[in-house]
Amino acid sequence: MENRGSGRRKDAAPLQEAFEELLKAYRLKDKFDERLLIQAWPELMGQTVAKRTSGIFIKDKKLFVKISSGPVKNELNMNRSKVMALIESKFGKGVIEDFVVL
């Protein structure tokens, strides 16, 4: 016996693709990606940096991170390009364009 639903499944977009299209249609994709980045900050940077991060936000495609430790702040400033590359590898280009340590 033939499975009637099998032909239909090929045409249906996977849930993730449908969600991405919905975000684009309502111009929410950038905000959604920014929220994901902020939530992923501890995972991306590790516990040492995460514990010393006292504030994080994105404005005009710039990631602002307030760090409570001078040595960690200096380390992040010296490795800005590495931080940007890490973010781009996880979230793609264009989510943020600059990184500012406060």
Side-chain angles (χ1 to χ4, degrees), residues 36-50:
L36 286 178
L37 170 56
I38 289 170
Q39 289 176 342
W41 181 253
E43 178 189 330
L44 280 173
M45 300 309 297
Q47 288 304 310
T48 302
V49 174

Side-chain angles (χ1 to χ4, degrees), residues 24-94:
K24 286 177 190 174
Y26 287 100
R27 296 186 180 126
L28 298 172
K29 178 131 177 58
D30 288 345
K31 290 291 179 199
F32 183 75
D33 288 344
E34 288 173 3
R35 287 283 144 218
L36 286 178
L37 170 56
I38 289 170
Q39 289 176 342
W41 181 253
E43 178 189 330
L44 280 173
M45 300 309 297
Q47 288 304 310
T48 302
V49 174
K51 287 179 183 176
R52 288 159 181 84
T53 300
S54 57
I56 182 169
F57 65 95
I58 298 173
K59 183 173 183 181
D60 298 328
K61 296 225 177 243
K62 286 185 183 179
L63 175 65
F64 293 88
V65 181
K66 186 169 183 170
I67 302 294
S68 60
S69 165
V72 173
K73 189 184 296 189
N74 289 339
E75 192 70 29
L76 286 175
N77 273 324
M78 288 182 352
N79 292 296
R80 288 169 44 104
S81 61
K82 286 182 184 177
V83 173
M84 289 293 293
L86 187 62
I87 291 169
E88 286 179 6
S89 72
K90 175 103 176 157
F91 295 97
K93 252 184 163 11

